Amino acid sequence: MKILEKTMKNVIKRNPGEPEFHQAVREVLESLEMVAERHPEYVEAGIFERIVEPERQIMFRVPWINDKGEVQINRGFRVQFNSAIGPYKGGLRFHPSVYLGIIKFLGFEQIFKNSLTGLPIGGGKGGSDFDPKGKSDKEVMNFCQSFMTELSKYIGENTDVPAGDIGVGGREIGYLFGQYKRLNNNFTGVLTGKGLTWGGSLARTEATGYGLCYFVEEMIKAKGKSFKGANVVITGSGNVAIYACKKAQELGANVIALCDSNGYIHHACGINVDTVKQIKEIDRKRIKEYISYHPDAVYSDGCDGICNIKCDIILPCATQNEIDGQAAKTLVANGCYAVAEGANMPCTPEAVKVFRENGVLFGPGKAANAGGVATSALEMCQNSMRYTWSFEEVDTKLKNIMKDIYQGCSEAAKEYGQENNLVAGANIAGFMKVAEAMYAQGIAY
Ligand code: NDP
């Protein structure tokens, strides 16, 4: 980097101790160097310096009472990163690893992802270091109500519309929505991922995983391949992983492995997705339980080994930096030809380099997993119209959006002399729309 190196140095200096945020910004700025060369007006207007600085960062105390009657304190976050093209939009993550740097990396990625969907949504992200795992429904409700009591001051259907992410599914969205409505006396589409009887959209639950597969279908089709008969490994066993597994199987793939943070299952004849749904969505148990339903599957402790399983396609759908350079080398040596990120930034920069150097097709998260937020935007649209579309209508729109995203990324990559580099394509295509809007709206914005 030449022009944007100073911007990168400032990000590191102004945001110490936030390596995930630095990693996400570096990847984007490296792709945008060519844009800075072609568009000196954006450099002059400080677009690059402004886009890496959140418009607003909110941190707050979340006190709540556990089932033993003890007072607990967690920390809540909402980073409202960029509203140039629409209200802030992005999920809430509840996980003990959450701190400001994680929320900033996710919020930054969200700006470009949301822009790629072609829908009018800005970028934001939030969450807490609260761990829903092992908590009773009442404890989760107590926490969500306290969290929303503070968050409600900063969000709104035209301001900022949060959704789910790791640790925030339908149950949590329900408690959060109920509290927002109670505090504001206002039934409004302030959150997405809502239940179907109170403003939710059909196909939102499935959208990220399904969208990921629609994106992969396009990406591999361009190289004359398809899901039919392909052996697929998926990491994670949460919302994204489950519906990626379901759609990949519908498209003819043999999904052979899934994991959670404790270990992984390898089921060579094909994962039974109904069993996984029962264990993870209904019983809220560990993936290890799978072998009690299917004794021919093998369970191994720890997640690292999942990348040693021979596969054609891998879809990392758990969390950031789960595939490193070494794991990438093993995947390549075993003949893996395509990788698409269902999670946000699950591949380290070293892993991405290994994939590129070995001609592995690589779909970056901000493009490949954008189906979730795109369908959230369709939920906002239905809420505004006070109308609902059928599953098929939403699914068709989702499929078209994912095709357009793939096309947009490929074309942007080609335009900047980076053919087949979807990382550069996604960053450039996502950036251009936001940059144009920021430029038009003036410096004070
Ligand atoms: P869930 O909470 O439903 O599932 C997360 C899954 O990942 C669980 O199986 C979890 O296991 C596993 N996991 C979490 N941390 C680790 C870890 N350190 N090592 C191994 N496994 C881990 O979350 P989602 O499926 O919603 O989200 C998964 C990823 O997809 C995240 O990166 C998220 O940001 C991204 N994403 C989600 C979207 C959505 O619509 N939900 C949209 C776009 C991106 P365990 O139960 O043991 O914690």
Side-chain angles (χ1 to χ4, degrees), residues 93 95 106 113 125 133 164-168 204 208 235-241 259-262 280 285-286 303 317-320 322 342-345 369-370 372-373:
R93 176 175 292 191
H95 193 272
L106 291 164
K113 179 188 311 197
K125 198 83 186 187
K133 235 179 280 166
D165 190 78
I166 292 180
V168 179
R204 174 61 189 92
T208 310
T235 67
S237 49
N239 172 267
V240 181
C259 72
D260 62 18
S261 55
N262 294 115
K280 301 306 278 190
K285 287 195 173 152
R286 312 308 301 158
C303 300
C317 297
T319 193
Q320 63 275 356
E322 46 172 317
N344 286 308
M345 212 170 72
N369 71 34
V373 75

mmCIF file of all heavy atoms in Angstrom, residues 93 95 106 113 125 133 164-168 204 208 235-241 259-262 280 285-286 303 317-320 322 342-345 369-370 372-373, ligand 1:
data_model
loop_
_atom_site.group_PDB
_atom_site.id
_atom_site.type_symbol
_atom_site.label_atom_id
_atom_site.label_comp_id
_atom_site.label_asym_id
_atom_site.label_seq_id
_atom_site.Cartn_x
_atom_site.Cartn_y
_atom_site.Cartn_z
ATOM 1 N N ARG A 93 -24.243 -9.782 18.774
ATOM 2 C CA ARG A 93 -23.560 -11.022 19.139
ATOM 3 C C ARG A 93 -23.460 -11.124 20.659
ATOM 4 O O ARG A 93 -22.949 -10.202 21.295
ATOM 5 C CB ARG A 93 -22.156 -11.047 18.511
ATOM 6 C CG ARG A 93 -21.345 -12.267 18.936
ATOM 7 C CD ARG A 93 -20.000 -12.342 18.218
ATOM 8 N NE ARG A 93 -20.136 -12.607 16.799
ATOM 9 C CZ ARG A 93 -19.124 -12.932 15.991
ATOM 10 N NH1 ARG A 93 -17.892 -13.046 16.497
ATOM 11 N NH2 ARG A 93 -19.314 -13.150 14.716
ATOM 12 N N HIS A 95 -21.582 -13.349 23.216
ATOM 13 C CA HIS A 95 -20.551 -14.384 23.362
ATOM 14 C C HIS A 95 -19.481 -13.834 24.306
ATOM 15 O O HIS A 95 -19.175 -12.638 24.248
ATOM 16 C CB HIS A 95 -19.941 -14.716 21.982
ATOM 17 C CG HIS A 95 -19.104 -15.960 21.968
ATOM 18 N ND1 HIS A 95 -17.755 -15.951 22.264
ATOM 19 C CD2 HIS A 95 -19.431 -17.253 21.721
ATOM 20 C CE1 HIS A 95 -17.287 -17.180 22.174
ATOM 21 N NE2 HIS A 95 -18.285 -17.995 21.851
ATOM 22 N N LEU A 106 -16.696 -6.340 13.009
ATOM 23 C CA LEU A 106 -17.938 -6.815 12.379
ATOM 24 C C LEU A 106 -18.725 -5.643 11.785
ATOM 25 O O LEU A 106 -19.280 -5.748 10.682
ATOM 26 C CB LEU A 106 -18.788 -7.561 13.411
ATOM 27 C CG LEU A 106 -18.212 -8.916 13.872
ATOM 28 C CD1 LEU A 106 -18.897 -9.397 15.149
ATOM 29 C CD2 LEU A 106 -18.357 -9.975 12.778
ATOM 30 N N LYS A 113 -20.708 -5.220 3.091
ATOM 31 C CA LYS A 113 -21.658 -6.309 2.855
ATOM 32 C C LYS A 113 -23.042 -5.741 2.534
ATOM 33 O O LYS A 113 -23.687 -6.137 1.570
ATOM 34 C CB LYS A 113 -21.740 -7.174 4.119
ATOM 35 C CG LYS A 113 -22.696 -8.334 4.025
ATOM 36 C CD LYS A 113 -22.875 -9.039 5.357
ATOM 37 C CE LYS A 113 -21.566 -9.376 6.025
ATOM 38 N NZ LYS A 113 -21.708 -10.392 7.077
ATOM 39 N N LYS A 125 -23.109 -2.828 14.160
ATOM 40 C CA LYS A 125 -23.044 -4.131 14.831
ATOM 41 C C LYS A 125 -23.073 -3.891 16.332
ATOM 42 O O LYS A 125 -22.713 -2.813 16.802
ATOM 43 C CB LYS A 125 -21.732 -4.841 14.457
ATOM 44 C CG LYS A 125 -21.738 -6.320 14.715
ATOM 45 C CD LYS A 125 -22.391 -7.115 13.606
ATOM 46 C CE LYS A 125 -22.501 -8.580 13.966
ATOM 47 N NZ LYS A 125 -22.989 -9.397 12.848
ATOM 48 N N LYS A 133 -25.088 -19.576 26.777
ATOM 49 C CA LYS A 133 -24.939 -21.025 26.943
ATOM 50 C C LYS A 133 -25.090 -21.416 28.413
ATOM 51 O O LYS A 133 -24.456 -20.826 29.288
ATOM 52 C CB LYS A 133 -23.561 -21.455 26.433
ATOM 53 C CG LYS A 133 -23.658 -22.555 25.386
ATOM 54 C CD LYS A 133 -22.306 -22.950 24.877
ATOM 55 C CE LYS A 133 -21.790 -21.975 23.846
ATOM 56 N NZ LYS A 133 -20.385 -22.095 23.547
ATOM 57 N N GLY A 164 -29.962 -10.770 14.664
ATOM 58 C CA GLY A 164 -29.217 -11.775 15.424
ATOM 59 C C GLY A 164 -27.807 -11.973 14.886
ATOM 60 O O GLY A 164 -27.426 -11.433 13.853
ATOM 61 N N ASP A 165 -27.033 -12.719 15.630
ATOM 62 C CA ASP A 165 -25.692 -13.168 15.226
ATOM 63 C C ASP A 165 -25.372 -14.301 16.201
ATOM 64 O O ASP A 165 -26.302 -14.897 16.777
ATOM 65 C CB ASP A 165 -24.672 -12.007 15.330
ATOM 66 C CG ASP A 165 -23.319 -12.345 14.699
ATOM 67 O OD1 ASP A 165 -23.196 -12.296 13.467
ATOM 68 O OD2 ASP A 165 -22.372 -12.687 15.439
ATOM 69 N N ILE A 166 -24.101 -14.606 16.434
ATOM 70 C CA ILE A 166 -23.753 -15.690 17.351
ATOM 71 C C ILE A 166 -24.445 -15.455 18.707
ATOM 72 O O ILE A 166 -24.368 -14.364 19.272
ATOM 73 C CB ILE A 166 -22.223 -15.775 17.550
ATOM 74 C CG1 ILE A 166 -21.552 -16.233 16.253
ATOM 75 C CG2 ILE A 166 -21.870 -16.726 18.693
ATOM 76 C CD1 ILE A 166 -20.037 -16.349 16.328
ATOM 77 N N GLY A 167 -25.137 -16.464 19.196
ATOM 78 C CA GLY A 167 -25.767 -16.387 20.529
ATOM 79 C C GLY A 167 -27.072 -15.606 20.555
ATOM 80 O O GLY A 167 -27.699 -15.479 21.613
ATOM 81 N N VAL A 168 -27.483 -15.048 19.426
ATOM 82 C CA VAL A 168 -28.758 -14.307 19.373
ATOM 83 C C VAL A 168 -29.606 -14.900 18.257
ATOM 84 O O VAL A 168 -29.359 -14.671 17.073
ATOM 85 C CB VAL A 168 -28.532 -12.788 19.151
ATOM 86 C CG1 VAL A 168 -29.870 -12.055 19.068
ATOM 87 C CG2 VAL A 168 -27.683 -12.213 20.282
ATOM 88 N N ARG A 204 -36.222 -15.878 6.581
ATOM 89 C CA ARG A 204 -35.108 -15.165 7.244
ATOM 90 C C ARG A 204 -34.212 -16.146 8.001
ATOM 91 O O ARG A 204 -32.999 -16.043 7.973
ATOM 92 C CB ARG A 204 -35.620 -14.065 8.192
ATOM 93 C CG ARG A 204 -34.496 -13.387 9.027
ATOM 94 C CD ARG A 204 -33.472 -12.709 8.138
ATOM 95 N NE ARG A 204 -32.269 -12.215 8.820
ATOM 96 C CZ ARG A 204 -31.134 -12.892 8.982
ATOM 97 N NH1 ARG A 204 -31.016 -14.139 8.540
ATOM 98 N NH2 ARG A 204 -30.094 -12.330 9.565
ATOM 99 N N THR A 208 -29.164 -16.909 5.565
ATOM 100 C CA THR A 208 -27.700 -16.797 5.451
ATOM 101 C C THR A 208 -27.125 -18.088 4.856
ATOM 102 O O THR A 208 -26.306 -18.051 3.929
ATOM 103 C CB THR A 208 -27.057 -16.477 6.811
ATOM 104 O OG1 THR A 208 -27.747 -15.365 7.378
ATOM 105 C CG2 THR A 208 -25.589 -16.134 6.663
ATOM 106 N N THR A 235 -18.151 -25.896 8.954
ATOM 107 C CA THR A 235 -17.824 -25.705 10.375
ATOM 108 C C THR A 235 -18.963 -24.970 11.064
ATOM 109 O O THR A 235 -19.720 -24.237 10.427
ATOM 110 C CB THR A 235 -16.504 -24.928 10.573
ATOM 111 O OG1 THR A 235 -16.697 -23.597 10.109
ATOM 112 C CG2 THR A 235 -15.353 -25.582 9.845
ATOM 113 N N GLY A 236 -19.074 -25.186 12.406
ATOM 114 C CA GLY A 236 -20.194 -24.640 13.164
ATOM 115 C C GLY A 236 -21.375 -25.591 13.085
ATOM 116 O O GLY A 236 -21.364 -26.574 12.308
ATOM 117 N N SER A 237 -22.370 -25.327 13.902
ATOM 118 C CA SER A 237 -23.625 -26.092 13.833
ATOM 119 C C SER A 237 -24.745 -25.199 14.337
ATOM 120 O O SER A 237 -25.708 -25.651 14.947
ATOM 121 C CB SER A 237 -23.530 -27.374 14.661
ATOM 122 O OG SER A 237 -23.030 -27.087 15.954
ATOM 123 N N GLY A 238 -24.585 -23.903 14.090
ATOM 124 C CA GLY A 238 -25.602 -22.931 14.481
ATOM 125 C C GLY A 238 -26.484 -22.579 13.297
ATOM 126 O O GLY A 238 -26.611 -23.349 12.337
ATOM 127 N N ASN A 239 -27.062 -21.390 13.349
ATOM 128 C CA ASN A 239 -28.030 -20.981 12.330
ATOM 129 C C ASN A 239 -27.458 -21.065 10.910
ATOM 130 O O ASN A 239 -28.069 -21.673 10.015
ATOM 131 C CB ASN A 239 -28.520 -19.556 12.639
ATOM 132 C CG ASN A 239 -29.373 -18.994 11.531
ATOM 133 O OD1 ASN A 239 -28.893 -18.321 10.634
ATOM 134 N ND2 ASN A 239 -30.660 -19.316 11.552
ATOM 135 N N VAL A 240 -26.295 -20.490 10.690
ATOM 136 C CA VAL A 240 -25.749 -20.442 9.322
ATOM 137 C C VAL A 240 -25.389 -21.854 8.858
ATOM 138 O O VAL A 240 -25.737 -22.274 7.744
ATOM 139 C CB VAL A 240 -24.522 -19.503 9.254
ATOM 140 C CG1 VAL A 240 -23.982 -19.446 7.835
ATOM 141 C CG2 VAL A 240 -24.879 -18.112 9.744
ATOM 142 N N ALA A 241 -24.697 -22.613 9.719
ATOM 143 C CA ALA A 241 -24.224 -23.951 9.350
ATOM 144 C C ALA A 241 -25.394 -24.888 9.027
ATOM 145 O O ALA A 241 -25.363 -25.617 8.032
ATOM 146 C CB ALA A 241 -23.381 -24.531 10.487
ATOM 147 N N CYS A 259 -19.307 -28.972 13.260
ATOM 148 C CA CYS A 259 -18.665 -28.905 14.586
ATOM 149 C C CYS A 259 -19.376 -27.919 15.494
ATOM 150 O O CYS A 259 -20.261 -27.186 15.057
ATOM 151 C CB CYS A 259 -17.193 -28.497 14.438
ATOM 152 S SG CYS A 259 -16.925 -26.769 13.990
ATOM 153 N N ASP A 260 -19.013 -27.913 16.777
ATOM 154 C CA ASP A 260 -19.295 -26.765 17.642
ATOM 155 C C ASP A 260 -17.986 -26.423 18.329
ATOM 156 O O ASP A 260 -16.927 -26.936 17.917
ATOM 157 C CB ASP A 260 -20.474 -27.015 18.595
ATOM 158 C CG ASP A 260 -20.255 -28.158 19.568
ATOM 159 O OD1 ASP A 260 -19.096 -28.568 19.771
ATOM 160 O OD2 ASP A 260 -21.265 -28.646 20.125
ATOM 161 N N SER A 261 -18.009 -25.584 19.365
ATOM 162 C CA SER A 261 -16.717 -25.150 19.908
ATOM 163 C C SER A 261 -16.032 -26.248 20.721
ATOM 164 O O SER A 261 -14.876 -26.098 21.108
ATOM 165 C CB SER A 261 -16.872 -23.871 20.730
ATOM 166 O OG SER A 261 -17.828 -24.063 21.730
ATOM 167 N N ASN A 262 -16.709 -27.374 20.962
ATOM 168 C CA ASN A 262 -16.080 -28.469 21.709
ATOM 169 C C ASN A 262 -15.451 -29.538 20.820
ATOM 170 O O ASN A 262 -14.483 -30.181 21.211
ATOM 171 C CB ASN A 262 -17.099 -29.167 22.616
ATOM 172 C CG ASN A 262 -17.582 -28.251 23.715
ATOM 173 O OD1 ASN A 262 -18.746 -27.896 23.769
ATOM 174 N ND2 ASN A 262 -16.674 -27.816 24.567
ATOM 175 N N LYS A 280 -29.424 -28.952 18.316
ATOM 176 C CA LYS A 280 -28.965 -27.572 18.501
ATOM 177 C C LYS A 280 -30.106 -26.575 18.684
ATOM 178 O O LYS A 280 -29.999 -25.671 19.494
ATOM 179 C CB LYS A 280 -28.081 -27.124 17.315
ATOM 180 C CG LYS A 280 -26.838 -27.951 17.087
ATOM 181 C CD LYS A 280 -25.947 -28.090 18.306
ATOM 182 C CE LYS A 280 -25.019 -26.932 18.547
ATOM 183 N NZ LYS A 280 -24.011 -27.201 19.602
ATOM 184 N N LYS A 285 -28.261 -28.615 22.960
ATOM 185 C CA LYS A 285 -27.184 -29.465 23.489
ATOM 186 C C LYS A 285 -25.947 -29.389 22.600
ATOM 187 O O LYS A 285 -25.916 -28.619 21.651
ATOM 188 C CB LYS A 285 -27.672 -30.899 23.603
ATOM 189 C CG LYS A 285 -28.663 -31.083 24.755
ATOM 190 C CD LYS A 285 -28.847 -32.536 25.072
ATOM 191 C CE LYS A 285 -29.689 -32.670 26.336
ATOM 192 N NZ LYS A 285 -30.434 -33.915 26.338
ATOM 193 N N ARG A 286 -24.947 -30.208 22.896
ATOM 194 C CA ARG A 286 -23.679 -30.193 22.184
ATOM 195 C C ARG A 286 -23.741 -31.123 20.963
ATOM 196 O O ARG A 286 -24.479 -32.121 20.955
ATOM 197 C CB ARG A 286 -22.515 -30.625 23.103
ATOM 198 C CG ARG A 286 -22.484 -29.932 24.448
ATOM 199 C CD ARG A 286 -22.533 -28.427 24.339
ATOM 200 N NE ARG A 286 -21.426 -27.886 23.553
ATOM 201 C CZ ARG A 286 -21.441 -26.708 22.957
ATOM 202 N NH1 ARG A 286 -22.515 -25.944 23.024
ATOM 203 N NH2 ARG A 286 -20.407 -26.287 22.284
ATOM 204 N N CYS A 303 -11.671 -28.615 17.544
ATOM 205 C CA CYS A 303 -12.203 -28.306 16.202
ATOM 206 C C CYS A 303 -11.151 -28.395 15.103
ATOM 207 O O CYS A 303 -11.492 -28.503 13.927
ATOM 208 C CB CYS A 303 -12.790 -26.899 16.177
ATOM 209 S SG CYS A 303 -14.109 -26.741 17.347
ATOM 210 N N CYS A 317 -18.489 -21.772 8.877
ATOM 211 C CA CYS A 317 -19.705 -21.067 9.325
ATOM 212 C C CYS A 317 -19.753 -20.912 10.842
ATOM 213 O O CYS A 317 -20.837 -20.845 11.428
ATOM 214 C CB CYS A 317 -20.954 -21.821 8.868
ATOM 215 S SG CYS A 317 -21.145 -21.936 7.087
ATOM 216 N N ALA A 318 -18.582 -20.892 11.509
ATOM 217 C CA ALA A 318 -18.598 -20.772 12.974
ATOM 218 C C ALA A 318 -18.202 -19.370 13.414
ATOM 219 O O ALA A 318 -19.054 -18.578 13.834
ATOM 220 C CB ALA A 318 -17.686 -21.827 13.592
ATOM 221 N N THR A 319 -16.901 -19.040 13.306
ATOM 222 C CA THR A 319 -16.468 -17.764 13.889
ATOM 223 C C THR A 319 -15.208 -17.242 13.199
ATOM 224 O O THR A 319 -14.701 -17.882 12.261
ATOM 225 C CB THR A 319 -16.239 -17.955 15.406
ATOM 226 O OG1 THR A 319 -16.126 -16.694 16.029
ATOM 227 C CG2 THR A 319 -14.997 -18.792 15.702
ATOM 228 N N GLN A 320 -14.680 -16.094 13.666
ATOM 229 C CA GLN A 320 -13.527 -15.480 12.996
ATOM 230 C C GLN A 320 -12.242 -16.277 13.218
ATOM 231 O O GLN A 320 -12.042 -16.880 14.266
ATOM 232 C CB GLN A 320 -13.322 -14.017 13.436
ATOM 233 C CG GLN A 320 -12.994 -13.802 14.890
ATOM 234 C CD GLN A 320 -14.232 -13.736 15.763
ATOM 235 O OE1 GLN A 320 -15.344 -13.785 15.269
ATOM 236 N NE2 GLN A 320 -14.043 -13.624 17.069
ATOM 237 N N GLU A 322 -10.974 -19.082 12.200
ATOM 238 C CA GLU A 322 -10.986 -20.510 12.548
ATOM 239 C C GLU A 322 -10.125 -21.340 11.592
ATOM 240 O O GLU A 322 -9.725 -22.443 11.917
ATOM 241 C CB GLU A 322 -12.421 -21.049 12.609
ATOM 242 C CG GLU A 322 -13.294 -20.620 11.440
ATOM 243 C CD GLU A 322 -14.651 -21.286 11.390
ATOM 244 O OE1 GLU A 322 -14.712 -22.495 11.614
ATOM 245 O OE2 GLU A 322 -15.636 -20.595 11.100
ATOM 246 N N GLY A 342 -19.179 -18.558 5.333
ATOM 247 C CA GLY A 342 -20.509 -18.319 5.909
ATOM 248 C C GLY A 342 -20.379 -17.455 7.139
ATOM 249 O O GLY A 342 -21.223 -16.612 7.431
ATOM 250 N N ALA A 343 -19.282 -17.649 7.891
ATOM 251 C CA ALA A 343 -19.009 -16.806 9.062
ATOM 252 C C ALA A 343 -18.331 -15.521 8.587
ATOM 253 O O ALA A 343 -17.977 -15.379 7.412
ATOM 254 C CB ALA A 343 -18.108 -17.557 10.033
ATOM 255 N N ASN A 344 -18.138 -14.580 9.501
ATOM 256 C CA ASN A 344 -17.422 -13.354 9.179
ATOM 257 C C ASN A 344 -15.939 -13.551 9.464
ATOM 258 O O ASN A 344 -15.572 -13.869 10.598
ATOM 259 C CB ASN A 344 -17.982 -12.196 10.018
ATOM 260 C CG ASN A 344 -19.350 -11.766 9.499
ATOM 261 O OD1 ASN A 344 -19.512 -11.505 8.305
ATOM 262 N ND2 ASN A 344 -20.342 -11.734 10.371
ATOM 263 N N MET A 345 -15.115 -13.398 8.451
ATOM 264 C CA MET A 345 -13.651 -13.489 8.540
ATOM 265 C C MET A 345 -13.159 -14.792 9.185
ATOM 266 O O MET A 345 -12.268 -14.773 10.022
ATOM 267 C CB MET A 345 -13.126 -12.274 9.330
ATOM 268 C CG MET A 345 -11.768 -11.784 8.927
ATOM 269 S SD MET A 345 -11.350 -10.172 9.689
ATOM 270 C CE MET A 345 -11.064 -10.582 11.404
ATOM 271 N N ASN A 369 -21.901 -14.348 2.664
ATOM 272 C CA ASN A 369 -22.916 -14.507 3.724
ATOM 273 C C ASN A 369 -23.885 -13.328 3.801
ATOM 274 O O ASN A 369 -24.601 -13.172 4.794
ATOM 275 C CB ASN A 369 -22.263 -14.823 5.074
ATOM 276 C CG ASN A 369 -21.514 -13.649 5.680
ATOM 277 O OD1 ASN A 369 -21.903 -12.490 5.520
ATOM 278 N ND2 ASN A 369 -20.448 -13.939 6.418
ATOM 279 N N ALA A 370 -23.928 -12.520 2.729
ATOM 280 C CA ALA A 370 -24.782 -11.326 2.741
ATOM 281 C C ALA A 370 -26.276 -11.640 2.627
ATOM 282 O O ALA A 370 -27.120 -10.754 2.772
ATOM 283 C CB ALA A 370 -24.374 -10.383 1.610
ATOM 284 N N GLY A 372 -28.194 -13.141 4.648
ATOM 285 C CA GLY A 372 -28.912 -12.930 5.912
ATOM 286 C C GLY A 372 -29.372 -11.496 6.048
ATOM 287 O O GLY A 372 -30.563 -11.213 6.253
ATOM 288 N N VAL A 373 -28.431 -10.583 5.870
ATOM 289 C CA VAL A 373 -28.801 -9.171 6.039
ATOM 290 C C VAL A 373 -29.701 -8.711 4.889
ATOM 291 O O VAL A 373 -30.595 -7.875 5.074
ATOM 292 C CB VAL A 373 -27.547 -8.274 6.215
ATOM 293 C CG1 VAL A 373 -26.801 -8.063 4.917
ATOM 294 C CG2 VAL A 373 -27.945 -6.936 6.817
HETATM 295 P P1 NDP B 1 -24.886 -19.418 16.128
HETATM 296 O O1 NDP B 1 -24.716 -18.901 17.510
HETATM 297 O O2 NDP B 1 -26.226 -19.894 15.694
HETATM 298 O O3 NDP B 1 -23.855 -20.600 15.864
HETATM 299 C C1 NDP B 1 -22.481 -20.418 16.006
HETATM 300 C C2 NDP B 1 -21.839 -21.755 15.789
HETATM 301 O O4 NDP B 1 -20.423 -21.586 15.735
HETATM 302 C C3 NDP B 1 -22.105 -22.719 16.939
HETATM 303 O O5 NDP B 1 -22.113 -24.025 16.464
HETATM 304 C C4 NDP B 1 -20.889 -22.477 17.834
HETATM 305 O O6 NDP B 1 -20.567 -23.540 18.702
HETATM 306 C C5 NDP B 1 -19.808 -22.314 16.804
HETATM 307 N N1 NDP B 1 -18.696 -21.558 17.359
HETATM 308 C C6 NDP B 1 -18.727 -20.334 17.926
HETATM 309 N N2 NDP B 1 -17.498 -19.989 18.351
HETATM 310 C C7 NDP B 1 -16.694 -21.027 18.020
HETATM 311 C C8 NDP B 1 -15.329 -21.280 18.185
HETATM 312 N N3 NDP B 1 -14.534 -20.393 18.780
HETATM 313 N N4 NDP B 1 -14.828 -22.456 17.705
HETATM 314 C C9 NDP B 1 -15.631 -23.355 17.103
HETATM 315 N N5 NDP B 1 -16.956 -23.169 16.935
HETATM 316 C C10 NDP B 1 -17.462 -22.028 17.384
HETATM 317 O O7 NDP B 1 -24.351 -18.250 15.175
HETATM 318 P P2 NDP B 1 -24.632 -18.038 13.612
HETATM 319 O O8 NDP B 1 -24.735 -19.348 12.935
HETATM 320 O O9 NDP B 1 -25.711 -17.052 13.497
HETATM 321 O O10 NDP B 1 -23.279 -17.290 13.179
HETATM 322 C C11 NDP B 1 -22.120 -17.995 12.736
HETATM 323 C C12 NDP B 1 -21.218 -17.053 11.970
HETATM 324 O O11 NDP B 1 -21.930 -16.529 10.835
HETATM 325 C C13 NDP B 1 -20.719 -15.839 12.732
HETATM 326 O O12 NDP B 1 -19.425 -15.498 12.273
HETATM 327 C C14 NDP B 1 -21.680 -14.745 12.309
HETATM 328 O O13 NDP B 1 -21.145 -13.445 12.452
HETATM 329 C C15 NDP B 1 -21.883 -15.100 10.849
HETATM 330 N N6 NDP B 1 -23.094 -14.588 10.222
HETATM 331 C C16 NDP B 1 -24.329 -14.868 10.735
HETATM 332 C C17 NDP B 1 -25.460 -14.387 10.111
HETATM 333 C C18 NDP B 1 -26.835 -14.760 10.565
HETATM 334 O O14 NDP B 1 -27.794 -14.405 9.864
HETATM 335 N N7 NDP B 1 -27.007 -15.473 11.664
HETATM 336 C C19 NDP B 1 -25.360 -13.486 8.939
HETATM 337 C C20 NDP B 1 -24.022 -13.332 8.430
HETATM 338 C C21 NDP B 1 -22.949 -13.842 9.085
HETATM 339 P P3 NDP B 1 -20.955 -23.444 20.259
HETATM 340 O O15 NDP B 1 -22.422 -23.722 20.324
HETATM 341 O O16 NDP B 1 -20.112 -24.471 20.894
HETATM 342 O O17 NDP B 1 -20.596 -22.050 20.704
#
